[in-house]
Amino acid sequence: MNTENAAVVPDLDTATKAFAEAVVESAEYREYIRTAELFEKDVEAQSLFEAFQNAQQQLSAQQQWGAGSTDEIQRVRDLEQQVQDNTTLSEHFKAQTELVDTLKELNTIIGEELGFDYAALAMPPKTCCSTGCG
Amino acid sequence: MNDTLRTAAIGFATALKQQDRVQSFLKAQELFENDEKITALRREYGELVQAYHRKQAAGELQDEDLEQVKSMQKDLNQHPITTDYLTSRNSLVEELRVHNQQMGALLGFDFAASSGSSSCCG
């Protein structure tokens, strides 16, 4: 690296910190944290979401074996509608979707600059976030 | 997306691109994707695999078909350009995973897992 480049390009630690700081200060991240905190305090929303997830899992397991009645399908649909109508949950999901969209866009920008997909290579093996992104 | 975020992302990528392992990988990737001999070998291998599947579906598969695929696969995998590419890729992946963990400590979540195309958050 020549002296001119060294003056322009920050070292990796500094650039990483600046990037992380910009992400946590972004409107999308702050909104995600705000709605996550509301969700953590809202016992009713938590119970509703848990009931929906349980019903969905039970139905999915039953359908794998060719079972699953119309009543059970209707129950999942009703709970899904209640989840969508719940302000705490809908705001939190909306914020999560917007944050993930922003993160994906950032990964695209980084990839265009690098010449390869950063997330695809940096991702830990067998990644799956069961508790959301936060 | 605001300009601060975009600028910070570009700054991060630019700094990362200066790293030796990134540079080695980019050179190896360029060769792997553009070298005439390796490109021809990859195309030939792809055609052979397709023919293998066609014969398999038609019930016309012979032992020599599998041997041919294995032999071509060996040639491809042992080609210096392929081994350089895979070695540099593995080395880069190792470094990026460590780096992603460090970034995760600053962010409070896993950036790569949340921003990748296979992200189950989105």
Side-chain angles (χ1 to χ4, degrees), chain A residues 16 113 123-124 127-129 133, chain B residues 17 97 99 109-110 113 120-121:
Chain A
T16 303
E113 194 67 29
M123 199 181 292
T127 292
C128 194
C129 39
C133 302
Chain B
K17 203 173 180 177
R97 282 183 182 164
H99 183 262
F109 64 89
D110 186 326
C120 47
C121 295

Side-chain angles (χ1 to χ4, degrees), chain A residues 7-123:
Chain A
V8 177
V9 179
D11 69 85
L12 186 55
D13 282 350
T14 308
T16 303
K17 280 177 193 159
F19 176 63
E21 233 172 72
V23 171
V24 297
E25 283 171 8
S26 69
E28 292 88 348
Y29 183 78
R30 284 194 311 235
E31 178 62 5
Y32 174 76
I33 293 298
R34 184 189 76 79
T35 61
E37 284 170 0
L38 284 177
F39 175 65
E40 277 173 27
K41 287 177 193 161
D42 191 335
V43 181
E44 196 185 319
Q46 287 171 31
S47 303
L48 174 60
F49 187 53
E50 200 181 324
F52 169 63
Q53 281 188 311
N54 288 339
Q56 206 177 28
Q57 279 168 11
Q58 275 173 20
L59 179 64
S60 174
Q62 286 168 350
Q63 282 176 333
Q64 274 186 332
W65 297 99
S69 69
T70 319
D71 285 351
E72 282 156 345
I73 294 169
Q74 192 53 50
R75 178 174 147 68
V76 171
R77 283 185 183 155
D78 289 345
L79 282 167
E80 189 177 17
Q81 190 58 54
Q82 286 178 50
V83 165
Q84 284 169 4
D85 293 343
N86 183 287
T87 312
T88 303
L89 291 172
S90 61
E91 280 189 0
H92 184 46
F93 296 148
K94 183 170 176 274
Q96 181 169 313
T97 302
E98 283 174 6
L99 175 61
V100 170
D101 287 348
T102 301
L103 296 175
K104 285 183 175 177
E105 206 180 323
L106 285 170
N107 186 52
T108 302
I109 293 168
I110 291 167
E112 281 168 2
E113 194 67 29
L114 282 173
F116 60 85
D117 184 337
Y118 171 82
L121 296 190
M123 199 181 292

